[in-house]
C-alpha cells in the first residue's frame, strides 16, 4: 500500500522533444489519482536549490505540442556529491515531496540510481533522449521526432544535391550510438551510413562508391558524430582526395535535431509512459526506468538501462538492409 | 529452390504515404537478387490491361520521400470476375512475370488471396493503408504519416480554438476502425475521442463535458468517420442543443490524411517490408502478407489479415489512457 | 507632443497567425519608448469587463512563433452599444490607459472607428486577418501563413489525386474575398479557381474542363467559400452530373487555415507594423490603420480600410495568369 | 513583330526553391502563345553540349511543389570563353532555338549579358537566388522559402536554447548580403543580427549583451556567413572568452537553406515572372531581367542587376527595428 501523496517531476540532461508531453502525462495521472504534483526546475539543480513549483491541470495545458521542456534542464555537478544529494533529500522532505519522476538519459539515471538507493527514496525514470541509447525501451521519447527532423532536413539537401549532381556528407547526432544515423539514413535513401556500431571505415566507403551504380545524380552519406571514421569533415577530406572530380559538400545538422514539435508517436509514447510512471510509483516500484518493449510497459532497473549496448537495435539485418536499398 | 526471375509490383486500393518507399525497396531488392522487376500500373486494372513497365534502379530514384504512388492505383471490378483474373493471369504469363508483390489493404488482399490460389501464382502483400486495420502487422505503411498529418492539422485548430475558447469536433478518417482517431487524439491532447470500438455515445460525451475541468479554454473532440455516434456534424448538432452557450465548430479533415511526405518510420517500415517481400517470394512464400510484429518480420496468410479485428490494437488500457490524460 | 504613457493592446475578431508577433512588437516598442503597456483580454469584451493585465518584455518572450493570440479574441455585441463603449472608456480611464492598439479586421476597425471619434481616444489598428480583405495594406498579418497552409494541404491532396486520376474540389476560406483562393490556387497549380471577384460560373468551368488538356492525371479546382457558384459541394454536384465518369472528391479545408506557426513574412510584417503603430500613436496619429504598401508604412483612416474593395488585389492580369498556367 | 518560335530555358548557378515553378510557367506560357519550348540541361554547360530536351505541358506537371530544378544546374567555365559561347550559339541555331530564358543569379546574368549582346540573341533572365542580392526585383525566387527554412530551423534551436538557458550563434547563408540574416533574424526574434551591411562588430555585440535585459532565458544571434565579424565560430570564440559563464553553442545551418518545397509566395512569384519573361521576349525585350517591384512587373538591364547594392533592402529603419524588437 502506497503512502505517496506528492510527486516531484524534473527533466535533466539534454532535452528532447516530447519531454513536455511526458510532464503533462505525469501531472494529469497524479491528479487522476488524487496526488499532488510538484515541478522541479532545471533538473537536479532544482532539487538542490529547492526550486519547486506546484502544478495542476492548467500548468500543463497546451504543452503537449511544444518542444523543449517547460521545467528546464541543466547539468548539475553538485548532485554528484554526497553533500549535494543530502541537500536535495532534505529539500524534498521539507516540501513533503514523497517520490520523483525523472525524465532524461543515462546521466540522469546514473544520478537517480544512486539517490534512490542512498535515501531509499522512490524514483522512477522516463527515457527522454533523442539518441535512443538506453536499454529497456524500444524507443526513447524524442527519438522519433529527431529522425523525422533529420529526414526533413536531408530531403532539402537532396533537392540541391540532385540539381548539382553532388555528393553530400551529412553529420547527425549520436555520440555513442548510430541509431539516429541508421534510421534516418534509411529514411532519406542514403547511399551509405557510417556508424560506430558498423565499423565501416573510409576505405570501404570508397570501395562502395567505386563499385556502386554510376547513374546516380546525387549521393548522400550519413555520418554519426561519434563514428570512428571521424565525423563529416574528416570523411569529406578523405573522399575529396580520392575523388577529386566529385563535387563534395558537408553539412552538420547540429542542434535542430533536439528541438521542434514532437511527432505523434513521441507524444503518445510520452503520454503512456508518464501515466505508467505515476502508477508504478503507486505500486511501490522504484529505482527503475519505465519503457515500452514490444508494445508492453516494462520496468527496468536503472543500473541495467545505461549500458549503451544497442546490440538489439542495430543488428546485421539492419546493416544489410542499408546495403540492399542503396542498389 | 525458387525459379522466380521477374517480379511484378502494383499498388491497389486507397493510396497511402510510403507506398513509393515500398515500391523502391521491392525494386532495389529485386536488383540485389538479380531479378527483373516490372511495374504494373493502376493496380489490378493494369494486370487486366497488361499495362506493364520495366523498372530499374533509376526508376525509383528520389521517390522515397514522395506521397502517393508512382504506379498509380485504382479500384477494379473486373478483377473480381473469374474472366478478369484469367485475363490478368494470361497477361502475366505472356510478359514472363513470375510473381507479384501487391501493396494495399483488405480489398487488395482479398483479390490477391483468390488470385494466388486460383492460379497457384506467387503473391506477397505489403500492408499499405492509413487506417492500419489489418491483422498481421503492428503498423501498416502510411498510418504513422497519417496520424502526424492529423496531429499537425489539429495543432493549428487548437491555436484558434484556444484564442476563441471554442469547442471543436474534428472528424478523422477510419471507416471501420478508430485507430487514426485513437492515436492522433492522444497526440493532440483531445478532451474526448469517439471511435467505433469504444461505444462512447453522445450522452456519455455530454456527461464528461459536464463533469470535466471547468478551466479549460478550448476543447477538441476527435470523431472517427465510422463512429456510430454519427460523424462530426451529428455530434455537433447534439452538443449545440445541450450546450447552447458553447461556441462549437466542426472540421472534417478529409483527404489531406492520405497524402504528404511519408514520416521516417513509414519510410523505414516500407523499406524493410519491401525487401522482406522479395526475399519471401524467393523462399517460396505465397498467399501471405508480410508485416512487422514486435520488431520481427512476420508472414500472415491473406485470409487472416482482413478480419478487421483490432482488439489487440485498441485495448481498454488505451481507452483508460485517454480518460486520464484529459484530466 | 504626446502625453501617452500607457498603451492598451487587444486582438479582436477572427484570429490570424502573426497576431502574437504583433503583440510582441507593440510591447517591445512601448518599452523602447519607456511607455507602460497593458494587455486587454478577449478584444472589446475585455475593455468592458476591465480585464486588463500589465505586460513587460517577459510577457511576450517566445510568442513570435506561436499561432493564435495570447490575449484571446472574441466577438462583443455590447461594444456596439453606446452604453458598452462608455463603460469601456471609463475602464480605460480608471486604469490610466491612454491609447489603444487594436489588431483585427473590418469588424474590429468599425468599432475602433466609432470609439476613437466618440471619445477622442487615440486608437491605431493593425491589419490581422487571413482574408487580406482590407484597403490600406498590401498584406494583412496572417494571410501569408494561411496561403502556405492551404498550399501544404493541397499538395497532400495532389498526391492522392494524382495516384487515383481524380478531380478534387477544394474549398478555402474567404467569405467576401477570393484572395486566399487566388494566390493559393496559383501556388498549387490549380486547374481552375472560382472566386467571387471573377464571376466564373459552373458552365464556364465545365467548358474549360471540356476543352483543356486531356493528358492531365489529376485536377484541382479551388473554390472560395464565398463564391457565388455556391461552395465546393454545389460545384461538385454540378460537375458529377456533367462528367459522370470523373472520379470527383470534395475537401473543405476549414479552420486549419486560421492556425499554425506564422510564416517568416507574417512575423516580419507584424513586427514592423507593431512598432509603427506605437510610434504612430506617439506622433499623434489616431483613428487609422497602419499598413504596408509598396514596402512603405502607410496610415489609412479606419473608414477607408473596410470597403471590401479588392479591385487592386485581384486584377484581370491575375485571372489571366491562372488561365495561362493551367495550360 | 516577333519571330520567336522556340524558347530555350535553363537554370544556372546555385539552385533555389521555386526554380521548378518558374520552368513550369515558362513552358506553359510558351504553349499558351503557340511556341515551342526546349529545356537546356545543366545551365550554360547544356548549351555547349547541346544537351536539349523538347518540353510540353506534361513535362512540367506536378513540379510546382518540388525544390531544386528538373533541368539541373552547374557552373560552366567554358561559357566564359569566346569559343564556348560561339559553340553555344551554333548549337542554339542548329536546334532552331530563337530565344533564351535563364534562371539564376548574378553569375548567370553576367554570362547572359555578354552572350545576348555578342550574338544579338534574345535573352531574358529570371531572378532565382536565395540570397535576394539582385537589383531590379523586390524578391528573388527562393528567398522567401529560404527565410522560412531558417525560421523553422531556428524555432527548433530556440526550443532547446530555452530549455538550457543557452546562447546560440546561428550562421545563415549570404556571402555578400545579410538579407537572409536580416529577415530571418527578425522572424525568429533574434537578440542580435550580424550582417556585412550593418558593421556591427563583436565589441558592440558584447556591449549589447552586457546592457540588455537580464531575464532572458535564451539568446539567439544570427550571423550572415559573409559578415566581417568572421562567421559563427569566430564570433563564438570571442563571446566565450568574454562571457565564460554563458553556455554558448554554434550552429551552421548550411545547405538545407537551398532546398525544400517552395513557399506559396515563391511559387506565385515564379509563376508570374515566368509568364512575363515569355511575353517580354515576344514583345522584343532582351538583355534584361524581369522582376517585381512594388507589385509591378519591371524589366531591368542585366548590367544593372548585378551591382550587389542592397542599399534599398537593408535600410537603417530595418536595423533600428531589430534593436527595438530585442528589448
Amino acid at each position: 500500500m502506497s503512502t505517496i501523496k506528492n510527486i516531484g517531476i524534473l527533466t535533466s540532461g539534454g532535452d528532447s522533444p516530447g519531454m513536455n508531453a511526458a510532464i503533462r502525462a505525469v501531472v494529469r495521472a497524479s491528479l487522476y489519482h488524487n496526488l499532488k504534483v510538484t515541478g522541479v526546475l532545471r533538473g537536479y539543480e532544482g532539487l538542490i536549490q529547492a526550486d519547486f513549483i506546484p502544478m495542476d491541470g492548467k500548468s500543463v495545458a497546451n504543452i503537449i505540442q511544444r518542444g523543449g521542456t517547460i521545467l528546464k534542464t541543466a547539468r548539475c555537478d553538485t548532485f554528484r556529491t554526497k553533500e549535494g544529494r543530502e541537500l536535495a533529500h532534505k529539500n524534498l522532505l521539507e516540501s513533503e515531496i514523497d517520490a520523483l519522476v525523472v525524465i532524461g538519459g543515462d546521466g540522469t539515471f546514473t544520478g537517480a540510481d544512486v539517490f534512490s538507493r542512498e535515501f531509499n527514496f522512490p524514483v522512477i525514470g522516463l527515457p527522454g533522449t533523442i539518441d535512443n541509447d538506453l536499454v529497456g525501451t524500444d524507443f526513447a521519447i524524442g527519438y522519433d521526432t529527431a529522425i523525422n527532423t533529420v529526414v526533413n532536413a536531408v530531403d532539402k539537401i537532396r533537392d540541391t544535391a540532385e540539381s548539382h549532381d553532388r555528393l553530400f556528407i551529412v553529420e547527425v547526432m549520436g555520440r555513442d550510438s548510430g541509431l539516429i544515423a541508421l534510421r534516418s539514413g534509411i529514411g532519406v535513401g542514403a547511399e551509405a551510413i557510417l556508424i560506430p556500431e558498423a565499423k565501416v571505415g573510409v576505405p570501404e566507403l570508397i570501395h562502395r562508391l567505386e563499385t556502386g551504380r554510376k547513374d546516380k545524380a546525387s549521393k548522400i552519406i550519413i555520418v554519426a558524430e561519434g563514428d570512428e571514421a571521424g565525423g563529416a569533415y574528416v570523411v569529406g577530406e578523405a573522399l575529396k582526395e580520392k575523388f577529386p572530380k566529385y563535387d563534395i559538400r558537408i553539412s552538420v545538422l547540429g542542434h535542430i535535431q533536439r528541438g521542434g514539435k514532437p511527432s505523434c508517436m513521441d507524444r503518445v509514447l510520452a503520454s503512456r509512459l508518464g501515466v505508467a510512471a505515476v502508477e508504478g510509483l503507486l505500486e511501490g516500484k522504484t529505482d527503475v526506468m519505465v519503457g515500452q518493449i514490444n508494445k508492453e510497459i516494462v520496468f527496468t532497473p536503472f543500473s541495467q538501462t545505461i549500458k549503451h549496448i544497442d546490440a538489439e537495435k542495430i543488428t546485421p539485418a539492419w546493416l544489410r538492409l542499408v546495403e540492399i536499398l542503396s542498389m
Side-chain angles (χ1 to χ4, degrees), chain A:
Chain A
M1 188 196 140
S2 166
T3 57
I4 292 174
K5 290 179 186 161
N6 185 350
I7 292 181
I9 173 162
L10 61 82
T11 51
S12 165
D15 61 328
S16 72
M19 281 187 164
N20 280 329
I23 295 167
R24 173 182 177 270
V26 169
V27 171
R28 296 271 166 98
S30 299
L31 299 181
Y32 181 83
H33 289 289
N34 295 309
L35 305 174
K36 281 193 204 170
V37 58
T38 303
V40 179
L41 292 176
R42 294 189 316 286
Y44 295 134
E45 186 67 27
L47 286 185
I48 285 163
Q49 306 285 345
D51 211 348
F52 302 146
I53 49 170
M55 302 187 81
D56 60 16
K58 208 164 176 61
S59 314
V60 293
N62 256 324
I63 66 167
I64 195 169
Q65 73 272 46
R66 306 259 182 259
T69 156
I70 60 166
L71 293 178
K72 304 214 173 224
T73 180
R75 297 193 176 281
C76 175
D77 288 334
T78 316
F79 196 71
R80 296 189 187 179
T81 66
K82 187 81 194 283
E83 294 70 28
R85 290 192 298 273
E86 282 173 345
L87 181 52
H89 186 239
K90 183 172 141 291
N91 288 335
L92 287 168
L93 294 189
E94 284 183 6
S95 294
E96 298 186 323
I97 299 171
D98 313 302
L100 275 178
V101 175
V102 299
I103 312 176
D106 52 3
T108 306
F109 294 166
T110 302
D113 184 27
V114 172
F115 184 80
S116 67
R117 289 187 288 107
E118 208 161 42
F119 302 98
N120 193 26
F121 196 89
V123 185
I124 284 191
L126 287 180
T129 160
I130 62 167
D131 291 344
N132 200 27
D133 58 347
L134 292 164
V135 174
T137 193
D138 289 339
F139 296 104
I141 299 161
Y143 174 65
D144 187 60
T145 305
I147 57 177
N148 275 303
T149 298
V150 172
V151 157
N152 286 325
V154 181
D155 283 351
K156 293 191 212 299
I157 291 175
R158 180 71 82 176
D159 285 342
T160 185
E162 191 75 10
S163 299
H164 285 274
D165 294 357
R166 276 179 180 156
L167 182 153
F168 268 86
I169 302 163
V170 180
E171 185 177 307
V172 301
M173 283 189 165
R175 207 172 302 266
D176 305 298
S177 159
L179 273 166
I180 292 179
L182 177 66
R183 291 246 170 174
S184 66
I186 294 173
V188 302
E191 274 63 33
I193 300 172
L194 298 190
I195 56 177
E197 293 86 344
K199 313 285 180 202
V200 173
V202 171
E204 182 169 338
L205 175 61
I206 287 171
H207 174 72
R208 285 195 194 172
L209 291 173
E210 282 176 328
T211 56
R213 260 175 56 211
K214 298 301 175 205
D215 60 346
K216 287 196 173 189
S218 64
K219 291 186 178 66
I220 304 278
I221 293 164
I222 303 288
V223 183
E225 59 174 334
D227 184 66
E228 63 184 17
Y233 285 98
V234 175
V235 174
E237 285 314 307
L239 291 188
K240 279 177 189 169
E241 198 170 307
K242 182 71 189 177
F243 302 106
K245 289 193 178 173
Y246 275 28
D247 189 1
I248 296 176
R249 301 293 160 111
I250 287 158
S251 184
V252 178
L253 293 187
H255 279 79
I256 59 168
Q257 295 166 80
R258 292 212 167 275
K261 295 171 61 151
S263 69
C264 186
M265 178 176 138
D266 271 331
R267 299 184 195 191
V268 171
L269 178 68
S271 297
R272 193 181 178 204
L273 296 185
V275 172
V278 170
E279 303 194 334
L281 284 170
L282 291 179
E283 293 162 7
K285 292 193 173 63
T286 182
D287 201 14
V288 293
M289 179 193 87
V290 58
Q292 181 180 289
I293 298 180
N294 292 344
K295 298 173 305 224
E296 299 298 325
I297 294 293
V298 176
F299 295 88
T300 303
F302 280 137
S303 59
Q304 294 177 27
T305 63
I306 56 185
K307 290 178 180 167
H308 285 306
I309 299 172
D310 293 306
E312 285 190 39
K313 290 179 180 164
I314 300 190
T315 57
W318 281 106
L319 300 174
R320 181 169 171 272
L321 190 59
V322 174
E323 197 190 337
I324 293 173
L325 293 168
S326 65
M327 290 295 287

